[in-house]
Amino acid sequence: MHTIEQIFINGEFVTPHGTERFDLYNPATAQVIGQVRLADEVDAARAVAAAKAAFPAWSQTTKQERIAALKRMHAAVAARHDDLLEAVIEEYGAPASRSAWMASYPAEVIAQAIEALEAFEFVTPAGAATVQMTPLGVAGLITPWNSDAGFICGKLAAALAAGCTAVIKPSEMSALQTQIVTEALRDAALPPGVFNIVTGRGETVGDAISRHPDVAKISFTGSTNTGKAILRNAAESFKRVTLELGGKSPTILLDDVDLAQAIPLVIQAGFMNSGQACVAGTRILVPYSRKAEIETALAQAVAAVNSGDPRDKSTDVGPMVSEKQWQRVQGYIRKGVEEGARLLAGGEGRPEGTRDGWFVRPTLFADVNNRMAIARDEIFGPVLCVIPYRDEAEVIAIANDTDYGLSAMVLGGDADRARRVAQQIVSGRVLVNTLAHEPKAPFGGFKHSGVGREMGEWGIRAFMEPRSVLG
């Protein structure tokens, strides 16, 4: 049993003021594997005070001093790779198709921040003025359970690169990953108070951070509803806000698509991170002229996806993170049938050969229209729907007929035509015949998918404001 009794404030592990214990589960067995003691509003205030006290000195550090600190962070986090790998399997249920990346990404994203900082210009001319990019102050960083360690390291690296200090509120469901990352960051020997990590509930610690007048910036990744609450809280003190929220991403198959190349990309996009990904391509838009052919190919591919034990190397989709999330996904599968959609693969219940854990059958619906709940709501599980279209104008209209706009993918034989379609999609990122990620490019969404951008120089700028000096 894992027991986590401390949080990290002002350079040391301390016992929180909060007394609530939160059970940690292995989602593959539905068994309790540990407990974490949660911080409360008092702890959040202490962490903000520590970050505020550390800000004047840290904000005056040079670019080279920050690069040196980030390099120490990178080395310390990379050294804990194997521990992180075990944690993301045990605590999150990440299968082999995802866990190796999740264990490597926290160090990789720090390396990406170092590269962005090395090229970053803090002072630039603008006519007769000199523009100085200045750090905002204390940053509140609130991270989700679907990639806890990666989000902690990515947000913190960008904030520190900008010259901000930070208070981090990670998901209480990811306390094992948080503990490993916190120990690594401690070993990087940053000045006390520059970063503080307080694990607690969103409605207590997260709310306190988003309301605190000494917090100048909030960077949040998570649900759209929570993002709205953070925006309302932030308005009281005009906090700067970056929100990376939900998605209902379209995957567009054009009528000249090569299915041998496209189908594997469709499956990867839809089922990445066991479907628990904000960028998951869950709306598959197919031309009527090839509807039957594509549905048959997709049904065969989805039926071949292995959902089960994350420690089995053949597993593609692991369990849902919690019983609540499992129930949510089951409810949407049931709703899809009730709405008149046709099951091509999967359905309610657990996959054959699994028991106890929060496993879901990879599911594919056909006969879906864009008004159905399964086509409009972010399910956050391995559930895909096929939506037919008549022509290019209609597929663009369907793709854009959503509250979200985080990611999209266009697959087609004519690359120029595919790019032309991509340029008409209202989305923060559009992939054309690829699932590649570019860390130098900005990442974030339109509409209900969020506010602002992360990654690269945009990620650093998000923690800064320009000051113009004349004369």
Side-chain angles (χ1 to χ4, degrees):
M1 290 284 285
H2 303 275
T3 302
I4 299 172
E5 287 283 338
Q6 294 185 310
I7 56 178
F8 194 81
I9 295 178
N10 204 31
E12 61 182 356
F13 282 99
V14 297
T15 300
H17 177 271
T19 58
E20 180 186 359
R21 262 73 175 184
F22 181 84
D23 286 338
L24 303 174
Y25 286 85
N26 181 333
T29 64
Q31 297 298 308
V32 174
I33 57 172
Q35 271 194 345
V36 56
R37 180 169 170 170
L38 299 183
D40 63 11
E41 300 94 330
V42 173
D43 299 304
R46 289 171 58 201
V48 171
K52 181 181 179 181
F55 175 71
W58 183 255
S59 66
Q60 295 302 309
T61 53
T62 65
K63 179 193 283 194
Q64 290 307 314
E65 287 171 328
R66 295 176 198 171
I67 289 172
L70 290 175
K71 286 183 175 179
R72 296 197 304 273
M73 288 169 54
H74 175 266
V77 172
R80 301 298 299 272
H81 173 276
D82 291 351
D83 295 329
L84 277 173
L85 179 61
E86 178 59 26
V88 298
I89 296 171
E90 182 181 14
E91 174 181 67
Y92 178 60
S97 60
R98 185 71 176 183
S99 58
W101 177 87
M102 290 180 75
S104 300
Y105 185 68
E108 290 175 6
V109 78
I110 297 173
Q112 293 163 9
I114 293 170
E115 186 177 0
L117 177 56
E118 288 173 336
F120 195 85
E121 296 292 340
F122 286 87
V123 179
T124 56
T130 298
V131 179
Q132 304 169 342
M133 294 301 296
T134 61
L136 283 163
V138 176
L141 313 178
I142 305 175
T143 64
W145 45 258
N146 66 329
S147 189
D148 178 75
F151 280 113
I152 290 173
C153 291
K155 290 180 186 294
L156 179 60
L160 297 184
C164 291
T165 55
V167 176
I168 303 166
K169 203 299 286 184
S171 171
E172 64 274 20
M173 297 169 65
S174 307
L176 300 187
Q177 296 170 66
T178 297
Q179 182 71 10
I180 293 165
V181 169
T182 307
E183 291 170 356
L185 294 174
R186 173 204 57 192
D187 294 344
L190 272 65
V194 166
F195 76 94
N196 307 269
I197 301 180
V198 283
T199 299
R201 293 187 181 275
E203 59 267 29
T204 53
V205 174
D207 187 72
I209 292 171
S210 64
R211 291 181 185 276
H212 201 294
D214 290 335
V215 173
K217 165 78 181 187
I218 295 288
S219 178
F220 167 77
T221 299
S223 74
T224 295
N225 283 338
T226 302
K228 291 177 181 179
I230 287 172
L231 265 182
R232 288 190 289 268
N233 290 347
E236 290 300 316
S237 55
F238 291 97
K239 287 175 175 52
R240 275 44 179 172
V241 176
T242 298
L243 304 174
E244 196 267 280
L245 307 175
K248 193 68 178 177
S249 302
T251 294
I252 297 172
L253 279 67
L254 297 178
D255 54 17
D256 64 347
V257 70
D258 179 347
L259 292 187
Q261 295 180 2
I263 295 299
L265 290 177
V266 174
I267 298 301
Q268 291 175 54
F271 291 153
M272 67 171 69
N273 207 12
S274 303
Q276 297 175 131
C278 51
V279 295
T282 54
R283 289 189 299 146
I284 306 169
L285 279 51
V286 306
Y288 271 108
S289 60
R290 300 184 66 182
K291 177 175 176 288
E293 174 193 8
I294 294 173
E295 286 181 352
T296 298
L298 284 172
Q300 292 173 349
V302 171
V305 172
N306 185 18
S307 174
D309 182 359
R311 295 188 185 278
D312 184 334
K313 294 188 182 303
S314 69
T315 295
D316 304 299
V317 171
M320 300 297 92
V321 72
S322 66
E323 183 178 16
K324 178 181 178 181
Q325 187 62 22
W326 186 84
Q327 293 286 3
R328 173 184 172 85
V329 176
Q330 297 297 316
Y332 271 104
I333 294 173
R334 192 159 52 248
K335 186 176 294 186
V337 173
E338 292 168 353
E339 288 180 317
R342 175 168 52 95
L343 271 172
L344 291 181
E348 278 191 83
R350 289 178 169 84
E352 185 177 347
T354 65
R355 47 175 287 186
D356 302 327
W358 297 312
F359 300 101
V360 171
R361 298 172 68 191
T363 296
L364 176 69
F365 281 107
D367 297 343
V368 178
N369 66 66
N370 212 43
R371 307 317 305 168
M372 294 179 178
I374 57 171
R376 301 207 68 81
D377 297 351
E378 184 180 42
I379 298 171
F380 229 59
V383 180
L384 312 180
C385 53
V386 178
I387 304 173
Y389 68 88
R390 292 177 178 81
D391 54 29
E392 197 171 292
E394 185 176 36
V395 74
I396 292 167
I398 294 172
N400 290 335
D401 180 19
T402 173
D403 290 335
Y404 299 103
L406 185 60
S407 189
M409 184 163 66
V410 181
L411 304 173
D414 183 337
D416 289 338
R417 178 193 178 200
R419 278 190 289 270
R420 186 177 71 246
V421 171
Q423 289 166 4
Q424 299 175 73
I425 307 303
V426 182
S427 180
R429 182 181 73 175
V430 187
L431 306 171
V432 179
N433 292 329
T434 184
L435 267 177
H437 173 61
E438 176 48 72
K440 295 179 181 178
F443 180 77
F446 287 69
K447 299 186 281 190
H448 290 198
S449 286
V451 176
R453 295 293 183 269
E454 297 182 287
M455 307 302 295
E457 67 173 282
W458 288 269
I460 297 175
R461 287 182 185 278
F463 291 94
M464 309 186 83
E465 286 278 29
R467 176 171 56 217
S468 298
V469 180
L470 289 84

